Amino acid sequence: MDDKPVLTVNVVTPDGSVYENTTTLAICKTTVGEVGIMPNHIPMLASLAIDEVRVKVAEDQFDEIAISGGFLEFSDNVLSIVASAAERKEDIDTIRAKRAKERAEKRIAQAKQTQDIDELKRAEVSLRRAMNRLNISSHK
Ligand code: ATP
């Protein structure tokens, strides 16, 4: 019997649960850098970047989840990820993400012309979300 310690990963969004699994390693991109969480890691709380979370499911094999920002909490071998939006790699609609990217690029150009700083910041975040989805869905 394989009795290696594991941790449980939950990814939730306002729309509900996106992912749940047990693993020996979860790699998260926080706003201050990458963190690898293994069973019995010290408790932690961190903000998540618009980036990916990778969950080891077999040797050299990871589930990949696009995270549109949020935070993680780890304690008692439970990793809770609360994200404003999240999609498993296989659920990403690339056509939709490409359209979102184009829309965001147009908004950025327009906001630069009109020097609308708030709109520029919002559009840049939209662009990062779209690029993140496209980037993750392109992974082999
Ligand atoms: P869009 O302009 O295409 O709606 P968005 O970045 O504004 O993109 P969000 O507000 O981040 O979208 O997400 C809204 C909902 O749609 C969330 O449930 C999110 O998981 C889902 N979603 C957004 N883009 C995609 C995509 N490309 N593929 C799959 N689900 C997506």
Side-chain angles (χ1 to χ4, degrees):
M1 197 180 98
D2 189 349
D3 56 0
K4 257 177 138 180
V6 293
L7 61 95
T8 301
V9 185
N10 289 306
V11 180
V12 295
T13 72
D15 297 332
S17 176
V18 170
Y19 182 85
E20 182 165 355
N21 207 350
T22 53
T23 185
T24 54
L25 174 65
I27 300 171
C28 304
K29 303 284 178 63
T30 78
T31 49
V32 290
E34 185 174 278
V35 60
I37 300 175
M38 296 169 85
N40 304 321
H41 192 287
I42 53 162
M44 72 177 293
L45 183 64
S47 303
L48 287 170
I50 299 173
D51 211 309
E52 65 176 344
V53 163
R54 302 173 75 222
V55 178
K56 188 170 182 181
V57 288
E59 205 50 48
D60 293 329
Q61 205 186 318
F62 288 80
D63 282 343
E64 293 174 82
I65 305 142
I67 303 288
S68 292
F71 67 89
L72 71 79
E73 197 256 341
F74 181 76
S75 62
D76 297 329
N77 282 336
V78 177
L79 175 61
S80 301
I81 292 173
V82 181
S84 47
E87 304 85 38
R88 297 178 62 145
K89 179 182 144 183
E90 52 274 27
D91 293 333
I92 294 173
D93 178 341
T94 51
I95 293 170
R96 178 174 168 179
K98 272 184 198 143
R99 289 202 187 113
K101 174 177 174 278
E102 286 161 12
R103 259 197 322 275
E105 284 167 344
K106 281 188 191 140
R107 283 172 58 200
I108 287 170
Q110 180 109 38
K112 281 183 178 162
Q113 255 179 11
T114 56
Q115 297 186 338
D116 185 340
I117 305 299
D118 291 340
E119 168 62 2
L120 180 61
K121 281 185 189 154
R122 282 194 297 271
E124 282 173 346
V125 173
S126 296
L127 180 61
R128 286 215 298 279
R129 287 202 303 257
M131 296 290 291
N132 185 43
R133 289 172 174 133
L134 289 172
N135 184 29
I136 291 168
S137 68
S138 73
H139 292 169
K140 289 274 177 268

